[in-house]
Amino acid sequence: ERRLFPKSVNVINKYEISKSEHLAFNLDNLVEQIRSKNPSVFLIHDIAGMGKSTKSIHLGLELKKNLTNFYVLRIELGKPKCIKILKQFKKEKEKDPMKFLQSFIKRNQFEEKLFEQLYNRGRVIFLLDAFDEIPKDYVETATEILKKLIRKNQKIKNQVIITSRSNCLNRLNEN
C-alpha cells in the first residue's frame, strides 16, 4: 500500500477529542490511549497557529511524567538540526529509520543502550512535531523514513505521534 498510515492509524483533530474544552485537547485521554498501545500511530493535526507544537511539548512532558518506563523522543522536524540530518539522509540510498532517530539521542553509551533496549521492548514513544515545516526538498526523504519507521513498529508497537497542519495531510499520504 502506498499510503503512509496503515488503516489502524488514529487521526486526532482537536475538535474530535473534546468539543467542550477551550483547547479541546484532553492530554489524559491521549496518554491513556498511548499507554494501551492501540493504535501505535497517532496524527495530531489542525490549522496553522492552533498550538500543535505547544501541545506536543505538553504531551511529551506528560508522557515522561506518567510513563516513566518509556523513552520519549521528541523531534522538531522543521528545525535546522533535523533539516541538516535529512539533507545527509537524502544522499543515502538506504534510509534507515533507526540511524535517523539515533542522530537525535544524546551521545553517550548509557543513553544509546537504554534507547536500544527500550526500543526492542516496544517502550519508545516518537513524538515527531511539525511535519508540515519540513522544506519541500526533504519531504520525500522524511516520508520514506517515516514509512519505514511505522512499518517496523507494527510488530514492536513503539508509539509514533506526528503533528502537522491539516492542509499537509495529503503530503503525508502521497508517495
Side-chain angles (χ1 to χ4, degrees):
E1 181 169 84
R2 293 177 55 80
R3 294 174 57 87
L4 174 60
F5 300 111
K7 289 184 169 57
S8 67
V9 168
N10 190 11
V11 176
I12 299 173
N13 182 301
K14 74 172 197 165
Y15 302 108
E16 296 169 11
I17 293 175
S18 171
K19 293 179 180 173
S20 64
E21 293 181 28
H22 176 63
L23 289 177
F25 189 82
N26 189 326
L27 285 177
D28 292 334
N29 289 348
L30 187 53
V31 169
E32 273 312 305
Q33 257 192 303
I34 291 167
R35 180 180 278 137
S36 74
K37 294 186 154 233
N38 190 17
S40 59
V41 180
F42 294 83
L43 177 62
I44 300 171
H45 66 93
D46 207 334
I47 59 174
M50 295 307 290
K52 296 172 297 299
S53 291
T54 302
K55 291 172 187 173
S56 82
I57 291 168
H58 290 287
L59 177 59
L61 293 171
E62 200 67 24
L63 290 169
K64 286 178 182 183
K65 183 174 87 176
N66 290 298
L67 303 175
T68 56
N69 56 345
F70 281 73
Y71 191 108
V72 179
L73 179 60
R74 183 173 179 273
I75 300 173
E76 296 174 283
L77 297 171
K79 295 292 182 187
K81 178 181 180 178
C82 185
I83 294 166
K84 181 180 175 184
I85 293 168
L86 285 170
K87 186 177 183 178
Q88 293 167 346
F89 269 78
K90 186 175 181 175
K91 298 172 189 171
E92 293 184 17
K93 188 173 184 177
E94 191 60 38
K95 292 165 181 53
D96 178 12
M98 283 304 293
K99 188 176 173 189
F100 173 78
L101 295 166
Q102 287 173 330
S103 303
F104 295 93
I105 297 172
K106 292 177 176 69
R107 289 288 166 199
N108 66 57
Q109 279 188 314
F110 174 77
E111 188 138 5
E112 287 178 18
K113 275 282 193 215
L114 177 66
F115 176 80
E116 187 178 322
Q117 288 181 0
L118 290 174
Y119 177 86
N120 290 327
R121 292 182 183 145
R123 297 208 172 268
V124 174
I125 300 169
F126 301 106
L127 189 48
L128 308 174
D129 186 35
F131 178 84
D132 55 289
E133 293 178 16
I134 298 170
K136 268 186 177 174
D137 292 347
Y138 306 109
V139 169
E140 189 175 321
T141 301
T143 302
E144 186 178 339
I145 292 167
L146 286 174
K147 280 183 180 183
K148 287 180 180 182
L149 175 66
I150 289 167
R151 276 192 219 111
K152 192 171 185 174
N153 279 300
Q154 289 299 305
K155 291 179 184 169
I156 302 173
K157 291 284 187 185
N158 287 305
Q159 304 291 307
V160 180
I161 305 165
I162 302 169
T163 69
S164 180
R165 289 183 187 162
S166 297
N167 65 337
C168 293
L169 295 179
N170 291 341
R171 268 208 268 173
L172 288 170
N173 281 315
E174 290 171 355
N175 301 333

